[in-house]
Amino acid sequence: MNVNPLSDVDTESETDDVMNTGSRAAYKKLKKRLDEVEESEKRLMDFVTMLDDKTRHLAKLRKRITEIEHSEKKIMDFVMMLDDRTSHLVQDDDHATAAKVNSVNSLEQEEDDTEYYPDDSYSFLALHGPIESPRLFWYAIVVFLFQMSLQTAVVMSIVFPRWSSNEIIDGSSGVFAGDVEAIVKIVQILSIIVHVIFPDYSMDDLITAVNLFPDTNKKCQEDVNLNLLVLSSVLRFLQGLFANIATFYLVFTSLTAKEVILNFAAMNLISVVDNAGFAAVIKGYFGEEIRNEALILRKKRLPDCIVDRKQRPRRTLIVILSTFILMTVAGIVFVFVPQSYGRFLTKTFRLQIGGNEQYNGCYIAEEVWRFGTDRPIYNHLYGEKSVSTHHQVRFAYCKIDRIWYLFEAEHADACRAMAENNIIAHSLISNSFEIKTTFSDEWFSSGGVPLEVGFSTAGVGVNDGCGKHVGDGYCDEVLNTAEFNYDGGDCCAATCRGPFCGLDTLDRAFGTELVEAGDGYRYCSNPDMVNVYIKVNDVIPLVTYKTNIGYINSAPPLLRFDCDGVNYLMVSIQEDMKNKTELIKVRDGAKCEVLIRAGHAVDIDLFQSIMMEDDDNVVEMNILGGVINGDYSDGKREFRLIPTCYLRKLSGYIDVDTVYLSESTPQRKA
């Protein structure tokens, strides 16, 4: 224990009451110094303690370093040992790698020689029959039917335009386009070449079907059903064959290059349905059970009875060349050559334009044609043949405006006629080679007013009827149809207009050959007219003349039947007309009269026949009957036809048999 030598002095100084002021100041200074020394001593002791701790820690570090150095030596020895062993292993690995490469090559060669069923629904048919695996079998059949139905629908929509809302084929044949621009023909040929040389799905189905058809000279495994293999190949072949036929047809009926490409894409989409159907099964869309069967099929090897691989390239080449040759020859023979000569285009047509009768009639194409460049020119037929005049009426196409024009000019240039304001009518904008196609849309006058246009090609009014005209006052039998408004009304008295209507047109009446031609409308077939019958019962002469050979009758009586001031029938009555009937087509509700002239009395019956709507029964109504004297005082009978609608509506309330005979009826008072 340390003893402070100044502690007693300090005590004594504190007890000394007489210590002066200077001694106290020295005491305080000394005490302060003493405190500093104690503080320094404490710090020194703390430092010594810290050094002791550091020394112990340093000793531990030295020991750890020694251990690390020892471990490092061991590691270096181990690394040297590894280097030695690695050198030996590398040598051994070179031999192992070579052996492994040989093994992989052997496996790859074995894998190349192994062939599996294609990933499409037709493979289901080859392995699964309708009895043991009905779900897979009928699933594949449904896929096949879908493909065939879609392909058939596409083709039928073109062959039969009424089944489709698409634009009709631009050709009078209704099968191929009348013609197309040269660029379209180039695209058609190129697309066929690409389709065959670089097979798409439809062509690939055809090739696969041929290559996978079983070889009857080879024996199949016991678990392979040969009939199912044949069925699978046959259905795949039929689908591929029909897809190629449909592709050919769609390509050669396309009017633009864009349509060619789109049609190819459409048929390719249909051909891939069998592959898509297989993929849907693999994804489990139809259940796990059928999916597991499909997974097994993917690893199923083709049977031994399939055609040997070495023969397949030859078969594939035969299929490709055959298809290419057939498509090319068919395209040239059935499409390009007929198009070059305009075989698919309308040669003659008949035109009816409302309000422009002078332009009605037949138009005939000129025999001038250049491959894929010009549309035909149609000249108006005058009389029985086409006549070239200084101002010919004709149809021609203007490529600048892309419009068909009807014009009258001394030249055949449609664009020039448009510039000269010689246009009579025109179509809408069209790229059509076939003029018939344009008449499915509206035509317009030169002032832009829509026209009522009737267009017809072969049949009634064309060929044998081209020299005849509608509405000329002469009844032309070939034009006497609803399509031509019954020759423009020329065949019926109520509708014919002109000074020559019905004159000298009858050579037969009342079932008798006429001695002199009569006036009438034998061929009237307008259903708006009603049937009125005249029956001749007897002919009674009223005047006789004395001659050198005796008494003779006067000239044969003349029968005249008029309605609304228009003559319907006028013939001389002959003896052999007795008890015979003549039909006259009369306007419904007309006011009529029967006249007899030339000194005879004629006993006749008039009756009307109508068909009732309720039971489709034909009802005959007597209009008048009795003897009409052939003189000016009593040689006429008048009556008014009761409208058919009146008779039909009131048939249940009136006696139709006597409706004309009652004296109180309006027609009797007419």
Side-chain angles (χ1 to χ4, degrees):
M1 179 177 177
N2 295 325
V3 178
N4 191 347
L6 298 179
S7 60
D8 294 337
V9 179
D10 185 32
T11 304
E12 292 177 359
S13 62
E14 289 178 353
T15 57
D16 193 355
D17 293 335
V18 292
M19 185 176 292
N20 54 30
T21 304
S23 298
R24 293 178 178 176
Y27 173 77
K28 291 180 179 181
K29 184 175 180 181
L30 183 60
K31 188 166 185 345
K32 181 179 179 183
R33 181 61 182 168
L34 181 62
D35 292 337
E36 293 176 352
V37 172
E38 289 178 350
E39 181 67 25
S40 298
E41 182 182 7
K42 183 179 178 182
R43 291 179 179 177
L44 181 61
M45 292 303 294
D46 292 339
F47 179 73
V48 171
T49 301
M50 182 191 69
L51 286 178
D52 291 340
D53 293 338
K54 294 289 186 182
T55 301
R56 288 193 297 271
H57 183 66
L58 183 60
K60 291 180 180 180
L61 288 177
R62 287 177 178 176
K63 183 179 179 180
R64 182 60 179 164
I65 290 172
T66 302
E67 293 175 351
I68 291 173
E69 289 177 349
H70 183 68
S71 299
E72 183 179 5
K73 182 179 179 182
K74 289 182 177 181
I75 291 172
M76 293 299 296
D77 294 339
F78 181 74
V79 170
M80 292 178 65
M81 180 189 68
L82 287 178
D83 288 340
D84 294 337
R85 292 188 177 184
T86 301
S87 61
H88 294 290
L89 288 175
V90 168
Q91 295 176 358
D92 295 338
D93 191 54
D94 290 340
H95 299 288
T97 300
K100 186 175 180 180
V101 169
N102 294 333
S103 177
V104 170
N105 291 336
S106 177
L107 289 174
E108 289 179 350
Q109 181 66 31
E110 182 180 355
E111 183 69 21
D112 290 340
D113 294 336
T114 303
E115 291 185 286
Y116 301 95
Y117 283 91
D119 288 351
D120 58 34
S121 59
Y122 294 103
S123 296
F124 293 147
L125 292 175
L127 295 174
H128 302 281
I131 305 300
E132 61 273 13
S133 300
R135 292 181 63 185
L136 286 172
F137 178 84
W138 290 110
Y139 176 80
I141 292 295
V142 168
V143 171
F144 168 75
L145 293 177
F146 268 121
Q147 288 181 295
M148 295 298 291
S149 299
L150 288 171
Q151 292 166 354
T152 303
V154 171
V155 174
M156 290 302 178
S157 67
I158 300 178
V159 176
F160 302 101
R162 65 179 180 275
W163 291 2
S164 172
S165 59
N166 297 330
E167 182 182 356
I168 63 174
I169 295 178
D170 185 34
S172 60
S173 66
V175 178
F176 294 106
D179 205 347
V180 292
E181 300 292 350
I183 185 64
V184 179
K185 293 184 178 181
I186 294 174
V187 174
Q188 289 173 336
I189 295 173
L190 290 177
S191 60
I192 291 296
I193 294 175
V194 171
H195 171 71
V196 175
I197 296 180
F198 306 101
D200 60 1
Y201 283 98
S202 58
M203 192 66 190
D204 185 63
D205 285 338
L206 202 61
I207 296 172
T208 302
V210 172
N211 286 332
L212 296 188
F213 194 85
D215 188 349
T216 56
N217 296 323
K218 292 186 177 182
K219 185 177 180 180
C220 289
Q221 291 89 331
E222 294 183 358
D223 61 340
V224 175
N225 190 322
L226 184 62
N227 294 328
L228 292 179
L229 283 176
V230 173
L231 176 63
S232 174
S233 295
V234 169
L235 293 187
R236 183 186 275 114
F237 182 84
L238 288 177
Q239 188 277 135
L241 178 63
F242 197 80
N244 280 276
I245 294 174
T247 300
F248 167 82
Y249 183 70
L250 291 176
V251 166
F252 286 105
T253 55
S254 299
L255 304 181
T256 64
K258 182 178 71 174
E259 285 185 15
V260 175
I261 305 302
L262 291 178
N263 286 331
F264 258 113
M267 295 311 301
N268 196 48
L269 178 63
I270 296 175
S271 296
V272 81
V273 169
D274 56 312
N275 303 87
F278 186 89
V281 172
I282 292 295
K283 293 178 181 179
Y285 291 164
F286 302 101
E288 284 298 319
E289 181 180 353
I290 191 173
R291 176 176 180 272
N292 293 334
E293 292 290 340
L295 291 175
I296 294 174
L297 184 147
R298 298 184 79 175
K299 299 179 181 179
K300 191 77 172 178
R301 296 183 178 183
L302 290 174
D304 297 335
C305 55
I306 297 297
V307 177
D308 188 79
R309 293 183 60 187
K310 295 180 180 179
Q311 299 179 12
R312 293 181 194 174
R314 180 170 58 86
R315 285 195 172 194
T316 300
L317 183 61
I318 292 174
V319 173
I320 290 177
L321 289 178
S322 300
T323 305
F324 176 72
I325 293 172
L326 287 176
M327 284 190 169
T328 303
V329 172
I332 294 173
V333 173
F334 294 105
V335 182
F336 292 152
V337 171
Q339 284 179 344
S340 301
Y341 291 94
R343 293 291 185 264
F344 298 143
L345 296 174
T346 297
K347 294 299 185 351
T348 303
F349 64 89
R350 188 177 188 92
L351 186 72
Q352 301 297 131
I353 303 179
N356 293 273
E357 287 75 11
Q358 67 270 33
Y359 305 120
N360 293 344
C362 290
Y363 289 80
I364 299 178
E366 293 183 357
E367 293 297 330
V368 178
W369 187 251
R370 287 181 291 173
F371 179 75
T373 57
D374 292 341
R375 276 77 171 169
I377 297 171
Y378 296 92
N379 294 321
H380 192 202
L381 183 68
Y382 292 93
E384 295 293 339
K385 61 181 180 178
S386 179
V387 180
S388 179
T389 65
H390 292 294
H391 292 280
Q392 171 75 52
V393 177
R394 53 171 58 92
F395 282 91
Y397 183 79
C398 176
K399 296 190 71 171
I400 298 175
D401 300 336
R402 293 189 298 148
I403 291 176
W404 282 90
Y405 288 113
L406 172 64
F407 59 94
E408 185 175 5
E410 59 183 5
H411 54 79
D413 189 340
C415 297
R416 178 181 168 188
M418 178 62 187
E420 296 172 349
N421 295 323
N422 291 328
I423 301 301
I424 300 169
H426 65 85
S427 70
L428 294 173
I429 293 177
S430 171
N431 294 315
S432 173
F433 277 75
E434 170 57 75
I435 191 171
K436 179 176 69 175
T437 307
T438 67
F439 285 99
S440 61
D441 298 318
E442 282 191 313
W443 273 66
F444 301 88
S445 68
S446 58
V449 178
L451 298 173
E452 294 183 5
V453 178
F455 178 89
S456 59
T457 54
V460 177
V462 187
N463 300 328
D464 58 342
C466 273
K468 299 174 172 49
H469 300 279
V470 172
D472 58 356
Y474 296 96
C475 179
D476 301 309
E477 235 182 307
V478 294
L479 304 178
N480 188 23
T481 63
E483 181 182 3
F484 295 100
N485 193 25
Y486 305 98
D487 197 16
D490 290 342
C491 296
C492 294
T495 54
C496 185
R497 299 291 181 267
F500 306 107
C501 289
L503 294 182
D504 296 332
T505 58
L506 295 182
D507 57 2
R508 186 179 182 84
F510 294 95
T512 304
E513 296 291 335
L514 298 180
V515 177
E516 296 181 4
D519 301 340
Y521 300 85
R522 179 179 179 181
Y523 300 107
C524 180
S525 58
N526 191 331
D528 295 335
M529 305 299 162
V530 298
N531 295 334
V532 174
Y533 296 88
I534 301 179
K535 180 181 179 183
V536 176
N537 298 315
D538 195 8
V539 179
I540 306 169
L542 299 178
V543 180
T544 60
Y545 298 94
K546 184 177 180 180
T547 65
N548 295 331
I549 60 175
Y551 289 91
I552 62 171
N553 298 327
S554 59
L558 182 68
L559 183 149
R560 181 184 177 102
F561 184 88
D562 296 346
C563 293
D564 299 328
V566 177
N567 177 244
Y568 278 68
L569 176 67
M570 186 165 63
V571 294
S572 296
I573 301 297
Q574 302 171 186
E575 284 291 329
D576 49 0
M577 291 182 180
K578 292 180 180 181
N579 298 317
K580 295 181 180 179
T581 304
E582 180 71 11
L583 169 64
I584 304 175
K585 294 280 190 176
V586 183
R587 184 182 64 82
D588 195 14
K591 182 179 180 180
C592 303
E593 60 183 17
V594 182
L595 299 94
I596 300 295
R597 294 288 184 266
H600 282 68
V602 181
D603 185 3
I604 66 171
D605 288 327
L606 259 71
F607 55 91
Q608 175 186 359
S609 68
I610 65 170
M611 180 177 290
M612 295 299 180
E613 291 182 341
D614 53 352
D615 55 5
D616 292 336
N617 289 330
V618 177
V619 177
E620 293 184 353
M621 298 165 289
N622 293 323
I623 300 176
L624 57 85
V627 177
I628 302 178
N629 293 324
D631 57 36
Y632 292 99
S633 61
D634 194 27
K636 180 170 67 172
R637 294 288 189 271
E638 295 181 346
F639 63 93
R640 182 181 292 275
L641 291 176
I642 301 174
T644 302
C645 62
Y646 171 84
L647 295 172
R648 287 174 176 170
K649 295 294 183 182
L650 301 180
S651 59
Y653 306 96
I654 61 175
D655 184 0
V656 294
D657 293 330
T658 61
V659 67
Y660 279 103
L661 302 179
S662 174
E663 294 295 333
S664 61
T665 56
Q667 72 279 1
R668 297 291 291 172
K669 297 179 179 181

